[in-house]
């Protein structure tokens, strides 16, 4: 060949070599790109799994030891998936900044762990970086490329709102919630009532465990009503509003948020770390529906069933019929358990078993009403009655009234006049008589008044746990013959002790057209019969001082005759205690109701789970359907915890047990001062058992009973979570609190003056229905 052909061949070879190089490079890039994408997926899965696993290690609170434990868990989990080539190094920090751990693993993998993530106590961040070598790296100008993936996981409790309800209503006061609120229907308010979702902020560590958000599934929630406002960071001062330290979001069709600094994001610290779902250029996600799921039924859990006494090892039955439980001649309930045993402090201890109902009133040291007879009218011989024969040892009180006469009533043997009378001029005559430590079997008593032609009216009531010897404390007749539309009655001096029975006998002129009597605020009505010129009221919740006083009003001017008497409680305290285990209530023996009721009593418990079926309820009042009348005595579920009322001077009940929170099986209490409320490893319920761990109250969806904690005298200190598909009512007084979470079908709440946190705590949260989740 000639020289030209040789040159052409050489040029072709060069072109082919260049083309091959390009092809090989392109193929390398394609292979590299595919490898990188595959590696990205692998690294992301690894980051997700590591974050989820370490989130399960998150405990209550944050400090160096807890942060190191979460980081170590993440590193150890990753080491179970990849060979560790380095050593975990944790950079000292603070919970707010955060703590940072780093380590290296085979194959060019490095890890960074940040806990807490953005000062959120429930969240942990994992960042993984994989260094990949590149073939033909010299030709491409680099020898490796990095793949970085991250994940943020949230611990189980972070997914549990403090309050969850299909229908949520408040009827008075400011309801303070430590944590988030979730509602299916629009939240309703009456009067000036307000809900406030506060953050759960740990000042010692500078971290948050709940950001205090409010979510409403229904569209169109109004956040602030006419004249309403939110008082930021305060337990009082908000009115006619739904307030949140965090975000507020309403709607599953057209989601809309509250207004910043008006009703939502009232906490600057919260706003700094909590994403605004309605921020500019952000399309808010629809609010999910409120879950109607329940934890596993305790009555199917082997550990719970094993605690039952009197069942022969079997579970309880909704159709079971149970024998009476009799204490001191009084039937206090029905059940299969052995009879309760009274301890040295006067408390009766019940054992875990199957029950129909338990009425604690008959066991309580506080005075409570046994029964009230009808209003009876007559001339000359007046015979008031009781619905049933009296129980021996109780106090009988008769409030009697007659038209104007200077002659006093005379009474049967055993009855004692309370020392005062009220009659002047044309005013009626009113007197209070009492029968201390009555022998029992009394169902009527005849009082005589003269002249025989005048009208008279009376009522008898029966009271338990009153002193049997010298029960009368103080008397008063400060309004005698007053002619006006209002009158005030008080005793002559302060009572000797708090929680006396204070009872009034009010006489007015009878048969006055249009006369309506308004009884005093906070007083409980026994009778209100202005036609016959007679009313009677009582209180069981007054302090010793000042002297008891009641002001009554009439719609017309009338002539008043009022007397008041107070009676002392029995000296020994008592109540009921549920010993650790599982308690089941099916309403047997109480038609239309049943369950647990206080009726003026006290119930203490530690390490218990309670289940309610059929129509059985949980009430501070009576065991009747709906919870009966509001509590009028000193009604207590639990006793004031040391974290809410410092010990000393406060002391737990049932010494030396010193019980405070009425507590579910729990591993941690709301504060160190309450540590004795949780038995931890000594509990019958294995930690993490979804049918009992942190589960205090559970009801079947078919249950028609109610939770009814009502009345200004009711107090409840409950530690654990409540799952009640039906109706719940909670009147929050003083330091009353549910430390945990509440899930009800219909939840109606009110708060008395000075009420603190109603619901919410890091402790007591049942996580039976949630799992660790990825949030980023």
């Amino acid at each position: 060949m000639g020289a030209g052909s040789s040159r052409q061949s050489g040029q072709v070879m060069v072109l082919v070599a260049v083309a091959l190089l390009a092809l090989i490079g392109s193929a390398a890039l394609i292979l590299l790109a595919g490898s990188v994408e595959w590696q990205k997926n692998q690294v992301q899965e690894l980051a997700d799994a590591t974050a989820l696993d370490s989130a399960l290690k998150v405990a209550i609170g944050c400090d160096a030891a807890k942060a190191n434990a979460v980081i170590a868990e993440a590193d150890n989990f990753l080491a179970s998936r990849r060979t560790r080539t380095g050593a975990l190094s944790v950079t000292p920090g603070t919970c707010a900044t955060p703590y940072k751990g780093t380590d290296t693993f085979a194959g060019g993998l490095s890890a960074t762990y940040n806990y807490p993530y953005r000062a959120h106590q429930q969240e942990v961040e994992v960042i993984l970086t994989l260094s990949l070598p590149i073939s033909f790296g010299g030709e491409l100008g680099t020898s490796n490329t990095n793949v970085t993936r991250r994940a943020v996981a949230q611990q189980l409790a972070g997914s549990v709102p403090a309050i969850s309800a299909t229908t949520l209503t408040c009827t008075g006061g400011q309801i303070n919630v430590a944590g988030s609120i979730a509602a299916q229907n629009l939240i309703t308010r009456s009067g000036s009532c307000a809900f406030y979702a506060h953050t759960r902020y740990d000042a010692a560590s500078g971290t948050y465990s709940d950001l205090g958000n409010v979510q409403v599934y229904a569209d169109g929630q109004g956040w602030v009503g006419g004249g309403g406002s939110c008082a930021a960071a305060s337990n009082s001062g908000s009115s006619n509003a739904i307030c949140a330290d965090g975000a507020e979001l309403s709607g599953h069709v057209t989601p809309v948020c509250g207004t910043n600094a008006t009703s939502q994001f009232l906490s600057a610290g919260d706003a700094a770390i909590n994403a605004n779902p309605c921020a500019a250029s952000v399309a808010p996600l629809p609010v999910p529906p409120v879950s109607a799921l329940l934890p596993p039924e305790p009555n199917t859990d082997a550990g719970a069933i094993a605690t039952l006494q009197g069942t022969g090892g079997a579970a309880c039955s909704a159709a079971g019929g149970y024998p009476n439980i009799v204490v001191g001649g009084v039937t206090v309930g029905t059940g299969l358990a052995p009879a309760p045993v009274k301890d040295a402090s006067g408390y009766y201890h019940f054992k875990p078993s199957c029950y129909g109902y338990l009425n604690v009133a008959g066991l309580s040291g506080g005075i409570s009403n046994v029964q009230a007879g009808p209003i009876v009218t007559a001339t000359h011989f007046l015979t008031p009655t009781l619905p049933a024969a009296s129980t021996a040892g109780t106090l009988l009180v008769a409030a009697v009234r007659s038209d104007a006469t200077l002659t006093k009533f005379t009474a049967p043997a055993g009855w004692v006049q309370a020392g005062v009378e009220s009659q002047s001029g044309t005013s009626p005559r009113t007197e209070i008589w009492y029968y201390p430590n009555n022998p029992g079997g009394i169902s009527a008593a005849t009082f005589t008044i003269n002249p025989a032609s005048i009208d008279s009216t009376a009522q008898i009531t029966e009271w338990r746990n009153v002193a049997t010897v010298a029960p009368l404390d103080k008397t008063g007749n400060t309004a005698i013959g007053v002619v006006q539309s209002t009158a005030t009655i008080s005793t002559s001096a302060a009572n000797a002790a708090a929680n006396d029975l204070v009872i009034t006998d009010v006489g007015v002129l009878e048969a006055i057209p249009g006369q309506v009597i308004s009884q005093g605020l906070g007083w409980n009505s026994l009778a209100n019969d202005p036609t016959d010129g007679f009313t009677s009221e009582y209180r069981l919740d007054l302090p010793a001082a000042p002297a008891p006083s009641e002001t009554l009003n009439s719609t017309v001017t009338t002539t008043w005759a009022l007397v008041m008497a107070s009676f002392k409680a029995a000296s020994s305290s008592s109540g009921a205690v549920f010993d650790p285990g599982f308690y089941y209530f099916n309403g047997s023996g109480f038609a239309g109701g049943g369950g647990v009721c206080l009726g003026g009593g006290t119930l203490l418990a530690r390490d218990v789970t309670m289940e309610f079926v059929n129509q059985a309820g949980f009430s501070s009042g009576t065991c009747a359907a709906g919870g009966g009348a509001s509590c009028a005595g000193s009604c207590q579920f639990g006793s004031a915890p040391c974290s809410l009322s410092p010990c000393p001077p406060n002391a737990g009940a049932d010494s030396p047990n010193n019980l405070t929170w009425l507590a579910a099986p729990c591993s941690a209490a709301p504060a160190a001062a309450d540590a004795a409320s949780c038995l931890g490893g000594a509990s019958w319920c294995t930690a993490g058992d979804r049918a009992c761990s942190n589960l205090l109250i559970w009801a079947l969806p078919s249950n028609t009973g109610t939770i009814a904690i009502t009345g200004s005298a009711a107090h409840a200190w409950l530690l654990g979570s409540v799952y009640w598909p039906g109706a719940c009512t909670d009147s929050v007084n003083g330091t009353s609190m549910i430390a945990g979470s509440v899930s009800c079908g219909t939840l109606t709440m009110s708060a008395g003056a000075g009420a603190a946190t109603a619901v919410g705590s890091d402790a007591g949260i049942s996580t039976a229905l949630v799992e660790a989740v990825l949030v980023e």
Side-chain angles (χ1 to χ4, degrees), residues 565-578:
S566 61
F567 298 90
K568 296 175 285 188
S571 58
S572 62
S573 65
S574 64
V577 177
F578 283 0

Side-chain angles (χ1 to χ4, degrees), residues 719-746:
L719 172 53
S721 290
V722 175
Y723 289 89
W724 196 278
C728 307
T729 302
D730 185 14
S731 300
V732 184
N733 299 304
T735 60
S736 290
M737 178 182 181
I738 301 175
S741 63
V742 175
S743 176
C744 291
T746 299

Side-chain angles (χ1 to χ4, degrees), residues 296-300 355 582-586 609-613 616 696-700 703 724:
E297 183 179 0
N299 195 41
T300 63
Y355 294 90
F582 169 52
Y583 291 76
Y584 181 93
F585 297 90
N586 71 357
T609 293
M610 294 173 278
E611 177 175 339
F612 298 81
V613 301
L696 182 63
I697 296 174
W698 188 99
L700 277 173
N703 178 285
W724 196 278

Side-chain angles (χ1 to χ4, degrees), residues 179 286 326 379 393:
V326 180
T379 57

Side-chain angles (χ1 to χ4, degrees), residues 509-524:
L509 298 180
E510 62 181 355
I512 296 180
Q515 180 172 254
V516 176
I517 304 299
S518 298
Q519 296 162 308
L521 182 65
W523 288 78
N524 305 286

